């Protein structure tokens, strides 16, 4: 490992799928030669360079080195960029990125293999022909300002193998940004929002399979560098036929009312504007949780949406408290006993908040036409407030057979509101929700 002051120390570096880069350094970090107590507080570096025995030169980004005892330190990093000829500059920028996201093909909007043909059985003699027709138009390109998004199927074919013939395609996102973000900038501004969008479109957890950055040598020649981080699974894939999932998505890029790049921007703004709605909703509808956990997450999400949209109550808290105090004063003058007044004081809401029933009813009515055909709206609000109180306070056991249809209705309600806020059609919801 190479410190910014030029010091070199031996060590080992672990680059693993879905884990942050980490390892050990066999030496004392610069400036700690006289340390007498251990462990020492970690030293932070925006970038640390390494030389691997296999010849690669990783750059560790947002790295920390923590000395545990003399001659041994732990190193951790947010991400590692692995390649050749990389500059040890935290502001190094890259013009283009290529990546795979599991499930990404489901929102591309087209499939590449248009037709295949071949005999059902081989004749006793002669020759036969196997043929595949590839639709090049399945590759789409979208432009918005200085950013270009290409949804492409990378093609591999065994057409020169005398013993096997086959064609396989792999969906890949390619993004070019004229502003040339840094490696961490690419991940934060483009890669993770795109993964979240695929997760939303498929209502399933998706991962970044792999990520490569293009860089320039001498301003002309392009090369690729591999990125390792906790967000990258390092598992390239090519989709196969899945009749249960093919075609099931809330939207496809080729049929959006506006550019997919604009959708990414809208999604980021929506997440920032409604964090208490989006985060629990996505967890509730995509994570493999039990019926109670999913139910509580979707209820929390809808409460968050209503609060962030309409506030805590129909009037200001100060005005509510003023009216509340006035009513308690009136009942005292009317001769209500102290014990009865104490009951009112205990159970009259101090802040005038909307009830959960009122919140759910209003949110239901806003998108009722969009979800009426796919869920039973009589379940909302129904007994949802009762179930929520029983589960969250441990006061009762609601069976999964009761919660599942309610949870499905709440999830459909939340997803319909996401599509509404993104100005997307809701006509594909039936692909993922059924009664």
């Amino acid at each position: 490992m190479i410190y910014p002051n030029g010091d070199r120390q031996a060590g080992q570096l672990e680059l693993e799928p879905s884990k942050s880069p980490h390892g050990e350094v066999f030496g004392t970090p610069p400036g700690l030669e006289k340390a007498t107590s251990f462990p020492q507080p970690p030293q932070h570096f925006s970038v640390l360079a390494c030389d691997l025995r296999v010849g690669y030169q990783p750059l560790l980004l947002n790295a920390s080195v923590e000395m545990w005892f003399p001659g041994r330190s732990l190193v951790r990093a947010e991400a590692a960029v692995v390649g050749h000829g990389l500059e040890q500059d935290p502001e190094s920028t890259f013009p283009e990125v290529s990546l795979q996201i599991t499930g990404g093909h489901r929102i591309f909007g087209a499939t590449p293999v248009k037709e295949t043909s071949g005999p059902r059985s081989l004749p006793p003699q002669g020759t036969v022909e196997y043929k595949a027709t590839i639709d090049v138009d399945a590759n789409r390109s979208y432009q918005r300002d200085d950013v270009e998004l290409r949804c492409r199927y990378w093609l591999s074919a065994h057409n020169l193998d005398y013993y096997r013939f086959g064609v396989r395609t792999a969906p890949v996102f390619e993004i070019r940004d004229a502003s040339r973000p840094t490696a961490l900038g690419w991940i934060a501004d483009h890669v993770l929002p795109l993964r979240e969008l695929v997760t939303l479109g498929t209502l399933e957890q998706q991962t970044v399979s792999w990520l490569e950055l293009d860089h320039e040598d001498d301003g002309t020649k392009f090369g690729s560098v591999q990125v390792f981080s906790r967000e990258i699974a390092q598992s390239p894939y090519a989709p196969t036929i899945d009749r249960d999932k093919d075609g099931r998505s809330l939207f496809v890029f080729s049929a959006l009312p506006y550019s997919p790049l604009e959708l990414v921007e809208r999604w980021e703004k929506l997440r920032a504007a409604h964090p208490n709605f989006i985060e629990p909703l996505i967890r509730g509808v995509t994570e493999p949780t039990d019926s109670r956990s999913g139910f509580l997450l979707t209820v929390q999400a809808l409460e968050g949406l209503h609060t962030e949209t309409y506030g805590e109550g129909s009037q200001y808290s100060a005005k509510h408290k003023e009216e509340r105090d006035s009513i308690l004063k009136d009942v005292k003058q009317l001769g209500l006993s102290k014990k009865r007044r104490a009951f009112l004081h205990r159970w009259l809401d101090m802040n005038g908040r909307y009830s959960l029933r009122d919140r759910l009813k209003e949110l239901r009515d806003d998108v009722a036409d969009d979800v009426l055909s796919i869920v039973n709206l009589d379940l909302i609000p129904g007994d949802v407030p009762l179930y929520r109180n029983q589960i969250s306070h441990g006061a009762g056991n609601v069976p999964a057979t009761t919660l599942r249809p309610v949870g499905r209705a709440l999830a459909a309600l939340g997803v319909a509101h996401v599509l509404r806020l993104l100005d997307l059609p809701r006509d594909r919801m039936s692909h993922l929700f059924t009664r």
Side-chain angles (χ1 to χ4, degrees), residues 101-108 194-207 237 245 247-252 282 285-286 415 431-433:
I101 299 175
T102 56
H105 60 286
R106 291 169 59 184
I107 66 170
F108 271 25
L194 191 58
R195 183 197 67 183
E196 292 169 355
L197 208 54
V198 178
T199 296
L200 170 67
T202 59
L203 294 186
E204 293 178 1
Q205 285 184 311
Q206 307 296 349
T207 61
Y237 85 106
K245 295 182 178 180
R248 297 182 62 190
S249 62
L250 293 176
F251 52 81
V252 293
I282 295 301
V285 299
T286 64
V415 169
H431 293 192
L432 296 171
F433 291 97

Side-chain angles (χ1 to χ4, degrees), residues 22 28 30-31 70 73 85 104 114 117 164 184-185 214-215 218 247-248 283 288 310-311 320 334 338 388 403-404:
H22 60 281
T28 301
S73 301
K114 190 174 183 179
S117 61
R164 179 175 61 168
L184 294 179
D214 287 344
H215 74 111
D218 302 326
R248 297 182 62 190
R283 288 183 57 200
Y310 300 104
H320 172 80
L334 292 173
K338 183 177 181 179
R388 195 274 300 269
L403 281 182
R404 286 195 189 101

Side-chain angles (χ1 to χ4, degrees), residues 240-255:
T240 56
I241 293 178
D242 188 340
R243 302 193 185 280
D244 291 332
K245 295 182 178 180
D246 287 347
R248 297 182 62 190
S249 62
L250 293 176
F251 52 81
V252 293
F253 281 175
S254 59

Side-chain angles (χ1 to χ4, degrees), residues 305-314 354 359 362-363 366:
L305 173 61
H306 192 276
T307 301
E308 291 166 346
T309 304
Y310 300 104
E312 288 286 351
S314 58
Y354 289 109
R359 295 182 192 276
E362 188 164 10
L363 293 175
D366 287 342

Side-chain angles (χ1 to χ4, degrees), residues 21-167:
H22 60 281
E24 293 186 72
V25 181
F26 309 130
T28 301
L32 296 180
E33 292 81 4
K34 297 182 179 180
T36 58
S37 61
F38 306 97
Q40 285 287 312
Q43 294 180 327
H44 298 278
F45 303 91
S46 55
V47 61
L48 283 175
C50 305
D51 282 326
L52 299 183
R53 288 183 177 179
V54 294
Y56 291 106
Q57 299 168 319
L59 293 182
L60 304 182
L61 307 179
N62 279 359
S64 66
V65 179
E66 182 178 5
M67 186 167 69
W68 275 79
F69 49 85
R72 186 64 62 89
S73 301
L74 301 179
V75 60
R76 301 179 180 87
E78 183 176 345
V81 179
V82 183
H84 296 283
L86 296 171
E87 297 182 5
Q88 191 174 346
D89 180 1
E91 299 301 322
S92 293
T93 59
F94 304 88
E96 189 164 328
V97 67
S98 302
L99 69 147
Q100 273 194 319
I101 299 175
T102 56
H105 60 286
R106 291 169 59 184
I107 66 170
F108 271 25
T111 53
V113 180
K114 190 174 183 179
E115 184 181 21
T116 59
S117 61
R120 293 182 176 274
S121 60
L122 294 179
Q125 59 185 10
T127 62
V128 296
E129 182 182 45
Y130 290 89
K131 180 180 178 181
T133 302
I134 306 299
D135 183 10
V136 179
D137 292 334
N139 298 331
R140 302 292 176 90
S141 179
Y142 308 95
Q143 186 81 32
R144 180 172 172 80
D145 298 329
D146 293 332
V147 180
E148 180 187 12
L149 170 65
R150 298 187 295 272
C151 300
R152 294 184 54 201
Y153 285 98
W154 286 6
L155 179 70
S156 62
H158 299 283
N159 51 356
L160 296 179
D161 189 333
Y162 295 149
Y163 303 98
R164 179 175 61 168
F165 170 77
V167 175

